[in-house]
Amino acid sequence: AGVSAIKPDPHTPSMMERILGLIKRIVKEEGKTVIIIEHNMSVISEIADFVYFMNDGRVETFGAPKDVLADERVREAYTGL
């Protein structure tokens, strides 16, 4: 049995990078508002101007991404501490 692998090209954008680029272009060039539901906070902090953080179906906090990420409730939900 043989095994083959494809080495990723570091110069080729990932699917997420392409999606984020498309969203940024739509917002900038077309002036559209985009609502994203995402669990990856690094993605959200890169693209969002405003964030609602929900936990157990309730809004815990909202605001600028840096402020939401600094909120103790957000850190607790992600780390359990």
Side-chain angles (χ1 to χ4, degrees), residues 4 8 11 16 27 30 34 40 42-43 45 48 51 54 56 63 65 74 77 80:
S4 64
H11 302 292
M16 184 57 74
V27 169
E30 298 182 23
V34 178
N40 185 332
S42 64
V43 168
S45 63
V51 175
M54 296 182 71
D56 291 328
V74 175

Side-chain angles (χ1 to χ4, degrees), residues 48-68:
D49 295 323
F50 198 85
V51 175
Y52 285 91
F53 178 79
M54 296 182 71
N55 191 19
D56 291 328
R58 288 183 284 238
V59 174
E60 294 282 337
T61 187
F62 55 90
K66 66 178 181 63
D67 297 331
V68 171

Side-chain angles (χ1 to χ4, degrees), residues 4-81:
S4 64
I6 299 173
K7 184 177 179 183
D9 181 350
H11 302 292
T12 303
S14 70
M15 180 64 74
M16 184 57 74
E17 289 170 326
R18 293 189 306 205
I19 291 169
L20 291 177
L22 176 62
I23 292 169
K24 288 176 182 179
R25 185 183 61 75
I26 290 169
V27 169
K28 182 178 181 180
E29 294 177 9
E30 298 182 23
K32 303 289 184 182
T33 297
V34 178
I35 298 172
I36 301 171
I37 298 170
E38 176 61 63
H39 292 97
N40 185 332
M41 295 301 282
S42 64
V43 168
I44 293 303
S45 63
E46 178 182 333
I47 197 166
D49 295 323
F50 198 85
V51 175
Y52 285 91
F53 178 79
M54 296 182 71
N55 191 19
D56 291 328
R58 288 183 284 238
V59 174
E60 294 282 337
T61 187
F62 55 90
K66 66 178 181 63
D67 297 331
V68 171
L69 289 171
D71 189 291
E72 186 174 320
R73 293 168 290 186
V74 175
R75 290 193 315 266
E76 183 177 310
Y78 272 95
T79 64
L81 302 174

